[in-house]
Amino acid sequence: MEDKLKNFYELFTRRKSVRDFSERDIDNETLDRILEIGRRAPSAANCQPWHFIVLRKNREDFDDLIKKNFSKAPVIIVGCAEKEKAWIRKADNMNYAWVDVAIALTEMVSAATAEGIGTCWIAAFDPEKVKTVLRIPPRIDVVAAIAMGYPSEPLTREEKRRKDLKEIVHYSAW
């Protein structure tokens, strides 16, 4: 396998949810590279119905709203969706704002992993309370947050039990 391809796949073997962060901060240049990956992420019909709120220090009000303790994470990115700006599938009126935000956040998680930064997806919060604390307008949905920081231990991953491909992949008869 070619080195570039090997490095790409290796990135995903290192990716894991990190909940214990070191004291090391994420510098602005590194954070900007990660945010740029989110900005460049694909979205349905290129609508880009997203907003990203970057939380650094002095975010006690936000930290109190989430169910797990991520106070040591130097950065939390809150991904938000603006439904009015999203593409809507005509067949069933499915609004793709949340899908687009999830794609952008996932790509930022991959970029952070490439930088040696650990991440953890946060969804255990009351979105209405988060909107109040962060003064997010009513028309904007809070989709998820990503805690980011340098892990206290190296990014290695013990393989968790995963379903076999035969259980989750289905081939069409065509």
Side-chain angles (χ1 to χ4, degrees), residues 26-149:
I26 299 173
D27 65 82
N28 290 335
E29 290 171 6
T30 302
L31 182 58
D32 285 347
R33 282 194 301 272
I34 293 167
L35 292 166
E36 177 66 13
I37 293 299
R39 185 187 74 81
R40 296 175 54 89
S43 64
N46 197 30
C47 290
Q48 305 169 53
W50 46 54
H51 297 274
F52 306 106
I53 302 169
V54 178
L55 305 174
R56 281 195 176 263
K57 307 290 182 207
N58 304 319
R59 57 167 202 257
E60 292 81 18
D61 290 346
F62 177 81
D63 286 344
D64 289 344
L65 298 176
I66 55 181
K67 305 294 182 207
K68 304 271 185 196
N69 183 1
F70 289 101
S71 60
K72 285 178 66 179
V75 173
I76 293 180
I77 298 174
V78 180
C80 301
E82 190 168 358
K83 286 183 174 178
E84 294 89 22
K85 301 239 172 126
W87 179 78
I88 298 172
R89 184 170 52 201
K90 289 178 178 60
D92 61 359
N93 273 347
M94 171 71 175
N95 185 302
Y96 267 68
W98 279 54
V99 172
D100 293 338
V101 172
I103 291 168
L105 289 173
T106 299
E107 292 201 3
M108 284 191 262
V109 164
S110 297
T113 304
E115 296 275 0
I117 294 170
T119 59
C120 190
W121 190 278
I122 306 169
F125 54 77
D126 180 329
E128 289 307 315
K129 289 180 180 176
V130 170
K131 286 172 78 164
T132 299
V133 166
L134 297 180
R135 295 186 297 252
I136 298 170
R139 73 181 191 286
I140 307 291
D141 289 348
V142 177
V143 176
I146 305 295
M148 290 186 174

